[in-house]
């Protein structure tokens, strides 16, 4: 007589879902710039992107500022090994702020979620000595295009303040360390949207 072996699942050996996530709203939306796993599309309410620079960086990057009327697209990703200290070091110019009550996502559980922001008083508006980088904008737009399509790219521009900032045209010799190569169509999309906003390009 053939015996049928019955197996019971050992739920104690199943990995628990990560309990610590962060919300990315700039270059981290481009998955080619990092190795974070299990990222998910998400939306953050109550914050708006803005171009800012700090004394520890010679160029401007994106941060977020509180705005109760705003909502922005982005990605959430688990913090590797829940090691906030390592992520805090990567985001050295930023403060980590709890945002789990403001993030909409498709996860079945409700993890801790933080967003990184440069606090008021620690940043300034970009200028010719601290411009935004076209190579950085290329990376961000490529990420939003892949994740959210052209409509998502336009939302990115519409929900970001500070486009009066000068932009260094470093595409031929990128300054941004995690720069990516864009297709001709992607470059045209970036250039057209910058032109729509009359963004001033500085020669590289």
């Amino acid at each position: 007589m053939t015996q049928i072996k019955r197996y019971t699942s050992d739920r104690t050996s199943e990995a628990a879902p990560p309990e610590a996530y962060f919300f990315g709203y700039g270059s981290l939306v481009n998955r080619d710039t990092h190795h974070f796993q299990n990222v998910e599309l998400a939306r953050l309410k109550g914050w708006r992107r803005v171009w800012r620079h700090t004394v520890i960086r010679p160029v401007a990057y994106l941060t977020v500022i509180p705005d109760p009327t705003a909502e922005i697209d982005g990605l959430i990703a688990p913090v590797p090994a829940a090691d906030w200290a390592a992520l805090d070091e990567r985001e050295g110019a930023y403060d980590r702020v709890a945002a789990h009550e403001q993030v909409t996502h498709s996860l079945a559980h409700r993890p801790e979620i933080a967003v990184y922001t440069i606090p008021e008083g620690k940043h300034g508006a970009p200028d010719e000595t601290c411009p935004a980088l076209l190579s950085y904008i290329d990376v961000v737009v490529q990420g939003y295009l892949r994740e959210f399509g052209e409509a998502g790219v336009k939302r990115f521009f519409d929900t970001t303040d500070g486009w009066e900032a000068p932009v260094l045209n470093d595409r031929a010799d990128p300054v941004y360390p995690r720069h990516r190569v864009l297709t001709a169509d992607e470059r045209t999309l970036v250039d057209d949207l910058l032109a729509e906003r009359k963004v001033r390009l500085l020669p590289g």
Side-chain angles (χ1 to χ4, degrees):
M1 179 178 178
T2 303
Q3 291 186 336
I4 300 176
K5 294 182 178 179
R6 301 185 182 276
Y7 296 91
T8 58
S9 60
D10 180 8
R11 295 189 179 275
T12 60
S13 64
E14 293 179 1
E19 291 299 331
Y21 284 71
F22 67 97
F23 181 89
Y25 51 82
S27 61
L28 286 166
V29 175
N30 191 323
R31 303 186 193 218
D32 288 346
T33 67
H34 58 80
H35 300 290
F36 297 111
Q37 302 296 314
N38 302 315
V39 299
E40 300 280 346
L41 301 183
R43 289 179 69 82
L44 174 67
K45 294 181 180 180
W47 296 82
R48 174 180 291 273
R49 293 181 214 84
V50 63
W51 289 103
R52 287 291 185 263
H53 79 84
T54 68
V55 295
I56 68 172
R57 291 179 176 174
V59 296
Y61 286 94
L62 291 170
T63 187
V64 287
I65 57 174
D67 181 346
T69 68
E71 186 172 1
I72 61 176
D73 298 320
L75 299 179
I76 54 172
V79 179
D83 185 359
W84 283 113
L87 195 58
D88 289 348
E89 183 176 356
R90 172 191 164 115
E91 305 296 330
Y94 297 77
D95 283 0
R96 172 163 42 96
V97 177
H100 47 275
E101 297 296 336
Q102 297 167 291
V103 177
T104 303
H105 54 78
S106 60
L107 296 175
H109 66 301
R110 308 298 297 177
E112 174 189 3
I113 303 175
V115 65
Y116 282 90
T117 175
I118 305 174
E120 196 66 38
K122 293 185 180 180
H123 60 68
D127 55 27
E128 290 193 7
T129 60
C130 295
L133 298 175
L134 184 56
S135 58
Y136 176 73
I137 296 171
D138 282 346
V139 163
V140 176
V141 170
Q142 186 182 64
Y144 274 91
L145 182 63
R146 290 174 176 176
E147 302 294 341
F148 300 100
E150 284 196 30
V153 173
K154 292 177 181 178
R155 284 196 305 274
F156 162 75
F157 274 83
D158 290 342
T159 55
T160 301
D161 289 344
W163 290 111
E164 64 275 10
V167 173
L168 179 66
N169 186 354
D170 65 331
R171 190 177 274 161
D173 186 16
V175 175
Y176 182 56
R178 291 188 287 274
H179 66 89
R180 311 303 302 170
V181 176
L182 271 61
T183 66
D185 287 344
E186 289 170 341
R187 290 195 301 271
T188 298
L189 178 62
V190 174
D191 295 344
D192 287 350
L193 288 168
L194 291 176
E196 279 183 18
R197 284 157 181 78
K198 298 181 172 57
V199 173
R200 182 163 57 100
L201 293 178
L202 305 176

